[in-house]
Amino acid sequence: MREPSVHQLRLLLAVAEELHFKRAAARMFISQPALSQQIRALEERLGIGLVERGGGGARLTTAGAAVVEEARSVVAAMERLLRVSDAQADAVRGELCVGSLGAEAAMPHARAVLAHLRDHHPHLRVEVRNLNFVEQFDALANGEVDAAFLRGPLPPGLQSVRLASEPRVVCLPADDPLAGETTLTLAQLADRTVVDMPRDVPRLWWDHLTVNPRPDGTPVRFGPVVRDTEAMVLAVLQARAITFLPAAARQLYPRPGLVYVDAPELGESESYLAWLPAHRDVLAVRALREAARATAQDREQRP
């Protein structure tokens, strides 16, 4: 006995539901003679009669009714198989390099994006590359990374999805007289030296983050130049300067001798996934963008 085709089983189901060859043929977009021929071929393959014909109508035999039940399961299973195969055919493959400013990729929102990407595109190989303050924007511009987890404000020319927002805090040496305060104002910090960035870092970005100049017009007094967050907190530990960081630094960069104090005037620190407009429709970047938007939407909908 030869196995029936899934197409033949679909035709049988159409006949079983219509109980009329002409209507079943029209439903399946084939001629009535072709339908009759396929049903006879199916009966020959199975070695049993399935349908009794008469007066244009049709009636399932006892064997036919039993076969129809199994045919439904086979056709449904085939449809599931095709959906899975279609999804796999559409799955993004290849490699994606995602930059991370310091510990940004360790933040819950970034981990959620990468987990969503991994779940929906298991064949995509993702590399996360750590970037320092100088590299963060250049790596995107020169194509070293396809996209990057960054902190705002972002320079013009980048597209982005906002992922999260959190308060900013002051990072002080533990022996600073202000370290015992619950909150600090910019006026209280007016005489403190602030960690600086290399010349290659966009000045507008760092001036914004250090509130330079201060609201009263006073310029910030900058001190040691650092290229990454580890060097930044080391400079503070050495009592050479203070700095401002996202509140998550309390968990990401805890160090003996460091204190983090709330400073509401600093405002919020915003996290982004950013990419070049020219790369937005690259399949891997598109998949990452969709993951970022999906996870951001999930967070917004939570009570």
Side-chain angles (χ1 to χ4, degrees), residues 184-207:
L184 290 170
T185 65
L186 290 173
Q188 289 175 286
L189 300 167
D191 63 346
R192 296 300 194 276
T193 299
V194 178
V195 170
D196 202 3
M197 293 281 117
R199 293 181 180 179
D200 294 336
V201 175
R203 198 68 228 176
L204 288 176
W205 182 78
W206 191 232
D207 283 343

Side-chain angles (χ1 to χ4, degrees), residues 172-175 224 226 231-241 256-258:
L172 299 158
D175 58 0
V226 300
M232 180 181 283
V233 297
L234 178 60
V236 177
L237 275 171
Q238 294 173 340
R240 298 165 60 200
L258 278 187

Side-chain angles (χ1 to χ4, degrees), residues 20 55 245:
H20 197 283
L245 287 168

Side-chain angles (χ1 to χ4, degrees), residues 16-262:
E17 291 167 7
E18 297 292 342
L19 295 178
H20 197 283
F21 271 81
K22 186 175 182 180
R23 290 196 299 267
R27 172 175 161 181
M28 300 303 290
F29 300 100
I30 64 173
S31 67
Q32 184 175 339
L35 173 60
S36 296
Q37 183 179 0
Q38 286 294 323
I39 294 299
R40 282 195 296 270
L42 176 60
E43 291 174 323
E44 290 175 4
R45 288 189 176 191
L46 295 177
I48 53 177
L50 301 173
V51 180
E52 293 179 351
R53 304 156 179 83
R59 185 175 67 84
L60 293 176
T61 65
T62 301
V67 169
V68 162
E69 291 303 313
E70 297 301 325
R72 286 196 179 98
S73 298
V74 172
V75 171
M78 180 58 70
E79 290 172 351
R80 290 195 300 271
L81 184 150
L82 292 174
R83 285 196 297 270
V84 169
S85 63
D86 286 345
Q88 291 301 309
D90 292 338
V92 178
R93 301 171 186 271
E95 298 180 355
L96 177 73
C97 186
V98 183
S100 170
L101 176 61
E104 280 300 298
M107 296 292 290
H109 50 266
R111 295 203 310 272
V113 171
L114 294 174
H116 187 283
L117 185 68
R118 182 173 59 250
D119 290 344
H120 288 75
H121 302 284
H123 301 292
L124 179 64
R125 295 186 298 277
V126 180
E127 174 192 354
V128 177
R129 183 176 302 176
N130 186 268
L131 304 174
N132 62 36
F133 298 126
V134 175
E135 298 167 333
Q136 58 176 327
F137 302 124
D138 288 346
L140 275 173
N142 61 29
E144 290 181 27
V145 298
D146 300 300
F149 293 113
L150 302 175
R151 290 278 171 165
L154 300 180
L158 294 181
Q159 294 180 340
S160 64
V161 173
R162 180 180 173 276
L163 299 176
S165 180
E166 63 182 308
R168 298 171 64 214
V169 296
V170 184
C171 180
L172 299 158
D175 58 0
D176 189 294
L178 297 176
E181 299 291 327
T182 303
T183 61
L184 290 170
T185 65
L186 290 173
Q188 289 175 286
L189 300 167
D191 63 346
R192 296 300 194 276
T193 299
V194 178
V195 170
D196 202 3
M197 293 281 117
R199 293 181 180 179
D200 294 336
V201 175
R203 198 68 228 176
L204 288 176
W205 182 78
W206 191 232
D207 283 343
H208 174 88
L209 295 179
T210 55
V211 195
N212 180 44
R214 296 294 159 77
D216 63 359
T218 304
V220 172
R221 185 173 69 217
F222 289 106
V225 174
V226 300
R227 296 178 64 89
D228 56 45
T229 310
E230 287 289 350
M232 180 181 283
V233 297
L234 178 60
V236 177
L237 275 171
Q238 294 173 340
R240 298 165 60 200
I242 67 168
T243 194
F244 306 136
L245 287 168
R250 288 185 166 112
Q251 290 75 46
L252 296 173
Y253 298 99
R255 301 290 186 275
L258 278 187
V259 172
Y260 294 97
V261 181
D262 293 337

